[in-house]
Amino acid sequence: MSEHSENSATNGNTVGNPPRKMRVLLETYGCQMNEYDTELVKSILEKDQFAIVKTENEADIIMLNTCAVRENAHRKVYGRVHDIHHRREGRPVMIGILGCMATNLRQELFENRGLKIDFIAGPDSYKRLPTLIREASAGEQAFDLTLSEFETYSDVFPARKEGVNAWIAVMRGCNNFCTFCVVPYTRGRERSRSVENIVGEVKVLAADGFKQVTLLGQNVNSYRHEEHDFAHLLEEVAKVPGIERVRFTSPHPKDFPDRVIDSIAANKKLCNHMHVPAQSGNDRVLDMMNRTYTRKEYLDLIAKMRAKVPGVALSTDIIVGFPTETDAEFEDTFTLMKDVEFDSAFIFKYSERKQTIAAKKFPDDVSEDKKTERIVRLNDLQKSISLKKNRAHLGEIHEVLVEATQTAKSETEIQARNDGNKIVILKAGPEQVGDILKARIVDATNYVLKGERV
Ligand code: SAM
Ligand code: SF4
């Protein structure tokens, strides 16, 4: 890399010309928290005189913000690093690995794979990125993987994309130690931001024109700051004038006290959609996963949600092929999904993650073929349920929030979203992004609803 000074991120210093800022491309893999963290990193780097660019060709530095939750995410990142080196042959580029993979795979990244990584920063170390880049430019192996007990970024305002929705991290980390999950190791212990700090940020977002906020956390509904719990936070955020919709992800079923459900029922701004990750429908598997609820307790929670919030949209996460899961135990997951009829579901094959309790104690003994067979059956089931549930909306009138004035498929259609988090496609009209309108649902696939203005 070209030389650059210790105090400013500049490059190509030509006499008489102002020094050029070093240009950074950021790529994000994984969950919304990573999308949000990328926005934080952009803000940190821009303050330090780096320039953010959009294409690989323009970049002096490429940072991959990674996910370690499932194996396919980290395979993608390895592939991408090789790809960058291959395409940039002869033109130097620095590569940095950020996020969960950084924490999880430090040794492998630097030593075992010959991946040519210049620096590594864990999820709590982004403020140190400018320093790490400088150390790496000086030829040092630069990394910081310290995990913090406190929220590290309360004073950083993310460089957000324009749009209707702003993500906002309200807590980080997780104390639950589900046996399959790497998050407690890569993201550390739970810590929450104060209600005042969050509400302050939401007020700025409203002033900037955002209509919706999505509160984020690895285990968002276990939010707690001093005497304030998640229900209080939801209510306070919903009070901010200008914010029309409040969503949250990703919650755990154990942290849905009545007050949270009652608030969602009573407050129009709190969207009628709850994501309730079940993971399995079998008690022995749930116990091995350390999920802390039984099938019956889970089903009771779903029944309560439906009783208190009529018409609530429900979604879930499922893992198939957890170690020792038998055909009969898998059938319990199948019947759970069939009985509950979720509006949508994210279904994953179990993938063994280093450091986790399952990796240490339970051999990954369900064959790949079995996992495939199970995931295909659940995906087919869910598709038919989603179609049935979407078709049940035909003729209803929904309030929808416009997200885009054209769709990926057509410039003459707009994309909006209803309260239950379903995409509604309408013919283009005078509406702008952020407008709310009423639409009659006239058609449905398993994925989207089609609407007409009323
Ligand atoms: N906190 C949420 C909860 O308690 O359910 C989930 C957050 S987790 C980061 C996102 C989803 O990834 C999980 O719900 C789970 O279905 C999936 N997942 C996590 N670890 C996995 C693994 N080792 N193999 C397959 N899927 C996994
Ligand atoms: Fe992972 Fe969610 Fe379990 Fe925490 S609660 S360990 S984030 S699956």
Side-chain angles (χ1 to χ4, degrees), residues 65 87 97 129 144 178 221 226 253 284 291 362 370 399 424:
N65 190 5
R87 285 155 44 141
I97 300 289
L129 271 169
D144 188 342
C178 300
N221 52 344
E226 294 169 354
R284 190 189 70 88
R291 288 295 288 180
F362 314 134
K370 264 281 176 235
E399 222 170 57
V424 181

Side-chain angles (χ1 to χ4, degrees), residues 155-320:
D155 57 339
V156 183
F157 206 80
R160 290 187 168 91
K161 285 188 219 119
E162 287 175 2
V164 278
N165 177 69
W167 309 103
I168 174 164
V170 299
M171 59 82 70
R172 284 175 187 268
C174 181
N175 294 347
N176 286 339
F177 291 92
C178 300
T179 57
F180 53 81
C181 184
V182 81
V183 166
Y185 308 94
T186 57
R187 296 270 186 179
R189 295 293 74 74
E190 284 176 11
R191 64 270 183 196
S192 300
R193 291 168 63 178
S194 72
V195 175
E196 300 75 55
N197 186 258
I198 296 164
V199 168
E201 187 167 340
V202 174
K203 283 182 179 161
V204 177
L205 292 171
D208 283 349
F210 287 97
K211 293 284 168 56
Q212 175 178 293
V213 288
T214 305
L215 310 185
L216 289 179
Q218 272 78 31
N219 206 20
V220 68
N221 52 344
S222 69
Y223 172 91
R224 176 141 216 115
H225 192 268
E226 294 169 354
E227 73 278 20
H228 300 308
D229 62 7
F230 188 59
H232 176 75
L233 177 68
L234 281 176
E235 287 157 10
E236 291 303 303
V237 168
K239 281 182 195 160
V240 175
I243 295 297
E244 304 290 345
R245 287 182 173 182
V246 181
R247 299 185 186 280
F248 58 90
T249 196
S250 181
H252 188 294
K254 78 174 171 55
D255 292 316
F256 271 110
D258 286 358
R259 189 167 155 215
V260 169
I261 307 172
D262 291 337
S263 295
I264 291 172
N267 193 323
K268 188 172 178 290
K269 288 189 183 179
L270 301 178
C271 288
N272 283 2
H273 166 228
M274 284 184 266
H275 184 63
V276 200
Q279 314 298 358
S280 167
N282 175 268
D283 283 345
R284 190 189 70 88
V285 175
L286 285 170
D287 187 45
M288 274 182 85
M289 288 176 163
N290 190 29
R291 288 295 288 180
T292 69
Y293 51 83
T294 61
R295 176 190 177 99
K296 179 169 183 317
E297 284 162 350
Y298 182 88
L299 290 174
D300 288 349
L301 175 65
I302 295 288
K304 191 199 283 183
M305 286 171 166
R306 284 193 162 139
K308 283 180 183 273
V309 193
V312 64
L314 295 171
S315 55
T316 196
D317 291 348
I318 298 284
I319 296 178
V320 297

